[in-house]
Amino acid sequence: MLKKFGCDVLLCEINPPRLEGLFLAEKINPKVNIIFVAVCSKSKYAKAAMRLKLSGYLTKEATNAQILEELQNLRYPVA
């Protein structure tokens, strides 16, 4: 779907079933804003995710305000 339609912002489980989130992040267009969602901030993947210079990182307990803050501070602004 991503290759066919593209996107500006991708919220992605950091370790989704059948697909490694970090692998996905390395393979897609580098101009796509990626916000990883993890079970907790102490995820073993957090450091690796930050090395990819993502647009954001949230836990599943994130509030609407935290999600909105991440969307307002994207690495690549969306028009």
Side-chain angles (χ1 to χ4, degrees), residues 20-37:
E20 178 60 49
L22 294 172
F23 174 79
L24 174 66
E26 291 172 347
K27 299 297 178 192
I28 65 172
N29 181 339
K31 295 289 184 180
V32 171
N33 292 291
I34 301 172
I35 299 175
F36 269 134
V37 180

Side-chain angles (χ1 to χ4, degrees), residues 44-55:
K44 65 181 181 178
Y45 299 104
K47 286 184 181 180
M50 291 302 127
R51 281 194 295 268
L52 291 173
K53 305 210 182 334
L54 304 173
S55 290

